[in-house]
Amino acid sequence: MTLTQCPVDQTLALLCGAMEENRLQHPRSRRIAGQLIAMIEDVASGRAGSEHLPTLERLADELAGFAAEATGMALGTEVRLSLTANHEVFASHIETQNCAAGACDRLAPSPCQMACPAGIDIPTYVALIGEGRDAEAIETIRRDNPFPWVCGLVCTRPCEFMCVRGRIDQPVAIKTLKAFAAERALSLGHYVNPPQAPPKHRKVCVVGAGPGGMSAAYYLALNGYTVRVLEALPMAGGMMMVGIPRYRLPREVIDREVAMIEALGVEFCFNTRLGTDVTFEQLRAEGFEAFFLAIGAHASFRLNIPGENDFPQVTQAVDFLKRVALGDRRLPGQEVIVIGGGNVAVDAARTCLRLGCASVTMAYRRTLSEMPADVEEIEQAEEEGVQFSFLTIPVAVEGEQGRVIGLRSLKAQMIAQAGSKRMVPEPIKGSEFILRADAVISAIGQRVEKKGLEELQTLAWTRRDTIQVHTATMATDLPGIFAAGDAVTGPATVVEAIGGGKRAAAAIDRYLNGLPQPSMPPVPVRHHRAAWTEVPAATKMALKRQPMPLLNMDRRRTTFQQVELGLSENMVREEARRCLRCDICRRCGLCVTICRDKMKVDALRLGYLDFDHPGPTDFRWTQEHCIACGACAANCPNDAMQMEDRKGERIVHLCGTILSRQPVRYCDGCGQAIGTDRYNAFVRQRTQRIAPVTGNRVYCEACGRRQSILDAHDVHPMD
Amino acid sequence: MALRKGQKVEVFRRSGDESWEPYMDKFIGRHGIITDPDTSINDPESLVEVSLDGMGTHRLPQDCLRVLEA
């Protein structure tokens, strides 16, 4: 089965094909096939319950055993075989309301949810936040991610890059909405853990209390396992705590979410280093049956230049950030040079400013456009006063009397590498110069520290010195040992580590129960089809992404207060209304095609439907051009486009965006609703050659026919 | 190739890198967006995070990716 094929969809097509082609002649066969179709349509649209699958099996058996019609028997057998071979897929559709292949329209995840490494049901929680149901939103998020508040502040937000709204103007501020809901739910005491499974009395050990380790611990604890987390540091959080500065992620945020995991009965052992304080052998003897390694990437690459190891004022960025996070807030120096151009380098530079360093310069061997750090981070660093020295290649740390006095460097120029388009920095001969400094911080990348894992002699490592795993399960080649997070990916993102931990927890559960492992990573699960919020087209277009208010500059330079202040409640609710509800509209484009090519009306300007070549979008265009014929709504496979009459108006809306609102006209004869003026004009224009004109009067079809006969004979009924 | 966040890319071929797993063959021909390039050292050898349209987010080697637009 390829990803675009779904056994549920295929079985439905098989049955529908047999019915449409009249291959079943016997009334009883046709009745059973009709019932099978109805049942499978329920499965494919998320309406099925626990009785559906047994009923389907019974009906298929009944059809296969009905000897009076051979075609029906063959069809019944084929359906029964499909049900047996794909039992898990049918069951998954029913239980999770999710179609992994995306073939069953109603059950396919939205692009944002697909993009989230943790698989959060984003459209649902955004819709809930839009309605002010923050606690329910957090409940939805925490099914897939135990750190909504952390991710609300520091997620790299792959979801926003895939957000379909971004094809119109700017993506919905998904990350910020999550932070608001988490803060509000915690503040009101509505942030609760999901119910736990009964204890299984089986033990799993997690090594590392970072986002990956704690996510695995969360899901394992929810599943009834006894979990112990070993952490070398004196607190939980891993790189979230000691790698991300407090002005981006306050400690209280991490502490509150860790406390929720601890409340599930997870045991944390701090200041405990695997291999030193405890060994695998000891843990196995204690009854631990599976291990999850989430040790992060806390070691640094070295500069390998003269002087690097000769002065105490030369430090590694990761060590520096950790020292500050653990409470040591002494200045590294007055004039600091940070070497590197990544996010860690920017974090180190901005931290130096907050500690009170007089000048902070980032030395980077390439130019601004090649800097790998996030653009927003670079901009904020520049605003705060960090200086940049581009095209600068460090060659030696200079010092006197045991103290750093500067960084000897060469100027570089970017040249194209032979046989490649990639531009590389080449030192310019004779361009040597000294950047004055009394402290140097190196931030040229992190690597995984292998110390502590010597016991696992046969553990496979990649050429990048990361732990080798099967990424569908995060399983290593050693039985019962799983790994995720930076230890597997190299320095990566919090949400990726969370996704890896979640995936590993599911794989550990299968391993301990002797179940086969999947060959592909899981597809995110839709939990709910939340109701949409109605928004007029003009408002939908006018609502722009809310800008993030920032802390004032003086405080940004002098304190570790959170820089991003978050959105106000009103801004959050407005922002949520920008969502296009891509969990409901699958962007198949059928509505546009029918309106333009079949009806020749062309009232839908929905350029955002195309991923590769998005065109202009204007929801307001429809109000001016729509005739409210309903062809788009009638053909929408997912009920995303709908047309309905309300209080004398015919309304066409797409996932709640009101595209057209026109007065409905009623038959002058019988009073029945007969469409809008534009629709009637459209019909009249097409039928005027064959239907007599009835003046200015408006009739429904039946009354019109009757009236035209009367008009033709010039006979008028007596009152 | 130094990839930037937000760039549209295509998985245009199988990678010879050890991190390429059999299930990733299904990604070939798919388009996506770079969501987390190598943010530390700008290394052409490092794995980058790509969100593929309809296929989820994955960390892939750079040699299988082709930039679709600047």
Side-chain angles (χ1 to χ4, degrees):
Chain A
M1 189 184 84
T2 69
L3 263 183
T4 49
Q5 292 174 328
C6 166
V8 176
D9 188 54
Q10 286 177 325
T11 312
L12 184 60
L14 176 75
L15 283 160
C16 289
M19 291 291 268
E20 282 163 16
E21 292 162 17
N22 285 322
R23 277 187 273 143
L24 301 178
Q25 297 296 323
H26 197 285
R28 187 170 165 194
S29 303
R30 291 188 67 82
R31 175 183 57 79
I32 299 169
Q35 288 173 343
L36 278 166
I37 288 172
M39 290 288 107
I40 297 178
E41 277 176 345
D42 282 354
V43 175
S45 61
R47 294 191 302 261
S50 58
E51 292 300 309
H52 274 67
L53 201 44
T55 307
L56 275 168
E57 288 167 345
R58 182 179 55 73
L59 288 169
D61 285 340
E62 197 180 331
L63 187 60
F66 182 54
E69 185 166 34
T71 318
M73 286 177 77
L75 183 66
T77 307
E78 203 172 342
V79 172
R80 187 66 177 92
L81 285 173
S82 174
L83 290 171
T84 307
N86 304 297
H87 189 276
E88 269 194 16
V89 181
F90 276 83
S92 154
H93 274 64
I94 296 167
E95 287 162 18
T96 67
Q97 303 196 343
N98 194 60
C99 174
C104 301
D105 282 309
R106 275 178 167 268
L107 305 184
S110 59
C112 51
Q113 185 177 7
M114 281 299 284
C116 177
I120 307 174
D121 188 351
I122 293 165
T124 298
Y125 86 71
V126 168
L128 291 170
I129 291 171
E131 291 176 15
R133 295 154 68 184
D134 302 316
E136 287 170 72
I138 290 303
E139 191 188 323
T140 302
I141 296 169
R142 291 192 89 239
R143 289 184 190 179
D144 299 296
N145 179 344
F147 293 103
W149 201 1
V150 167
C151 283
L153 299 180
V154 299
C155 185
T156 48
R157 52 186 194 280
C159 53
E160 291 187 21
F161 285 95
M162 295 302 274
C163 175
V164 176
R165 178 80 201 211
R167 300 177 201 166
I168 300 175
D169 42 29
Q170 280 185 296
V172 176
I174 299 168
K175 182 187 89 160
T176 316
L177 296 184
K178 187 160 54 218
F180 174 89
E183 192 176 324
R184 176 61 58 91
L186 261 169
S187 134
L188 297 177
H190 296 156
Y191 187 115
V192 292
N193 276 324
Q196 265 180 292
K200 288 190 164 68
H201 304 294
R202 302 186 75 177
K203 296 165 86 172
V204 181
C205 181
V206 171
V207 185
M214 286 194 288
S215 297
Y218 171 78
Y219 287 105
L220 288 165
L222 283 179
N223 213 352
Y225 289 98
T226 305
V227 187
R228 181 184 295 173
V229 181
L230 308 180
E231 172 56 53
L233 291 166
M235 58 188 73
M239 270 297 182
M240 297 190 297
M241 185 63 88
V242 298
I244 301 176
R246 295 291 74 87
Y247 60 84
R248 285 176 56 202
L249 179 60
R251 177 177 173 164
E252 296 76 12
V253 175
I254 305 170
D255 289 345
R256 291 296 296 264
E257 296 201 315
V258 170
M260 296 301 295
I261 295 172
E262 209 166 2
L264 292 170
V266 173
E267 178 193 4
F268 284 88
C269 298
F270 297 119
N271 299 307
T272 306
R273 191 177 281 278
L274 184 70
T276 309
D277 302 308
V278 65
T279 64
F280 278 104
E281 201 182 329
Q282 288 168 336
L283 291 164
R284 284 199 180 99
E286 264 194 70
F288 286 96
E289 297 177 73
F291 295 86
F292 177 59
L293 307 177
I295 55 174
H298 290 258
S300 303
F301 287 115
R302 311 289 293 185
L303 289 164
N304 290 320
I305 57 174
E308 184 185 13
N309 302 319
D310 300 342
F311 307 98
Q313 297 85 21
V314 182
T315 52
Q316 308 299 323
V318 172
D319 297 335
F320 167 68
L321 290 171
K322 187 190 295 179
R323 171 170 80 72
V324 175
L326 295 177
D328 180 354
R329 299 211 166 168
R330 286 173 298 166
L331 268 70
Q334 282 296 339
E335 290 178 291
V336 183
I337 291 174
V338 180
I339 301 171
N343 281 334
V344 176
V346 176
D347 285 343
R350 295 178 71 189
T351 297
C352 286
L353 276 184
R354 283 162 173 77
L355 292 175
C357 300
S359 87
V360 182
T361 305
M362 288 183 67
Y364 181 53
R365 55 173 50 220
R366 295 184 173 87
T367 63
L368 177 67
S369 61
E370 280 100 17
M371 264 182 93
D374 289 345
V375 175
E376 298 88 359
E377 295 290 315
I378 298 169
E379 279 174 6
Q380 289 187 7
E382 208 169 2
E383 285 165 8
E384 288 164 13
V386 173
Q387 296 161 56
F388 296 89
S389 177
F390 294 113
L391 296 167
T392 300
I393 300 177
V395 290
V397 179
E398 299 287 334
E400 284 174 3
Q401 299 168 341
R403 294 201 65 82
V404 169
I405 59 163
L407 184 69
R408 184 177 295 280
S409 309
L410 282 169
K411 285 311 275 183
Q413 59 184 351
M414 298 301 289
I415 59 158
Q417 208 172 21
S420 159
K421 286 181 187 170
R422 182 175 159 82
M423 302 289 280
V424 293
E426 190 187 67
I428 301 170
K429 273 186 185 174
S431 64
E432 205 167 87
F433 68 104
I434 290 183
L435 276 169
R436 276 188 54 190
D438 55 8
V440 173
I441 297 173
S442 164
I444 58 162
Q446 296 115 262
R447 58 182 178 80
V448 184
E449 180 65 82
K450 292 184 180 177
K451 201 177 160 192
L453 298 178
E454 296 88 347
E455 229 180 310
L456 304 174
Q457 287 177 354
T458 51
L459 181 68
W461 292 79
T462 69
R463 68 187 175 91
R464 297 178 177 89
D465 269 343
T466 54
I467 299 172
Q468 191 162 46
V469 297
H470 304 277
T471 50
T473 58
M474 310 316 283
T476 68
D477 285 336
L478 302 180
I481 296 187
F482 299 77
D486 288 358
V488 166
T489 55
T493 63
V494 171
V495 71
E496 225 176 325
I498 290 169
K502 182 180 160 192
R503 208 180 300 171
I508 290 169
D509 180 50
R510 287 188 184 214
Y511 166 76
L512 293 176
N513 288 294
L515 296 172
Q517 297 287 2
S519 58
M520 279 197 70
V523 174
V525 174
R526 284 186 61 202
H527 297 297
H528 190 45
R529 184 169 164 149
W532 53 51
T533 308
E534 285 202 351
V535 183
T539 310
K540 198 80 168 187
M541 291 304 294
L543 283 171
K544 298 297 174 203
R545 186 180 164 111
Q546 302 286 339
M548 172 62 72
L550 299 179
L551 189 70
N552 77 57
M553 194 54 71
D554 295 330
R555 288 199 184 169
R556 278 169 61 181
R557 290 202 189 99
T558 53
T559 73
F560 280 84
Q561 285 181 34
Q562 206 175 328
V563 172
E564 294 188 347
L565 299 175
L567 303 182
S568 68
E569 174 158 7
N570 190 41
M571 291 160 95
V572 162
R573 310 293 179 220
E574 291 283 279
E575 183 65 23
R577 292 167 77 201
R578 297 179 65 234
C579 178
L580 300 175
R581 295 304 304 270
C582 304
D583 57 330
I584 300 174
C585 172
R586 298 287 321 287
R587 300 161 311 289
C588 64
L590 200 55
C591 52
V592 177
T593 308
I594 284 170
C595 184
R596 184 188 57 214
D597 301 341
K598 299 281 184 197
M599 301 304 296
K600 312 282 184 198
V601 175
D602 200 10
L604 293 168
R605 189 139 294 185
L606 308 179
Y608 69 89
L609 299 181
D610 194 297
F611 175 79
D612 282 324
H613 307 289
T617 294
D618 192 349
F619 294 125
R620 295 163 298 198
W621 172 269
T622 309
Q623 178 64 46
E624 301 300 317
H625 298 84
C626 178
I627 59 169
C629 65
C632 52
N635 286 283
C636 178
N638 228 20
D639 294 338
M641 186 75 83
Q642 294 191 1
M643 187 172 84
E644 54 190 295
D645 291 348
R646 274 188 234 155
K647 295 179 184 170
E649 286 184 318
R650 182 151 288 183
I651 295 169
V652 178
H653 61 90
L654 174 61
C655 299
T657 302
I658 296 171
L659 302 176
S660 160
R661 185 192 283 270
Q662 297 170 49
V664 189
R665 296 299 303 267
Y666 296 92
C667 174
D668 286 343
C670 66
Q672 186 190 326
I674 50 166
T676 62
D677 281 343
R678 278 194 210 148
Y679 175 69
N680 291 323
F682 175 84
V683 172
R684 211 175 295 130
Q685 190 190 358
R686 296 213 167 181
T687 57
Q688 60 190 2
R689 285 189 189 170
I690 54 171
V693 177
T694 54
N696 291 328
R697 291 161 292 171
V698 182
Y699 292 113
C700 70
E701 199 180 333
C703 293
R705 200 175 295 128
R706 198 181 311 124
Q707 190 60 41
S708 65
I709 294 166
L710 295 174
D711 286 351
H713 294 88
D714 202 21
V715 177
H716 297 282
M718 289 177 69
D719 290 332
Chain B
M1 175 168 54
L3 294 163
R4 303 290 300 173
K5 208 178 237 191
Q7 272 180 324
K8 269 191 183 168
V9 292
E10 179 189 9
V11 183
F12 76 104
R13 68 175 181 196
R14 201 174 197 282
S15 170
D17 192 272
E18 62 181 344
S19 61
W20 187 269
E21 294 185 53
Y23 73 82
M24 295 173 180
D25 286 347
K26 296 191 173 86
F27 300 162
I28 296 169
R30 289 282 180 159
H31 293 185
I33 292 178
I34 299 286
T35 49
D36 185 40
D38 160 36
T39 52
S40 54
I41 50 176
N42 211 339
D43 178 6
E45 290 285 295
S46 66
L47 304 177
V48 295
E49 192 188 65
V50 190
S51 202
L52 297 172
D53 189 28
M55 302 292 276
T57 299
H58 307 270
R59 207 160 265 275
L60 301 175
Q62 295 181 40
D63 65 344
C64 66
L65 300 173
R66 174 162 61 194
V67 176
L68 289 175
E69 60 185 39

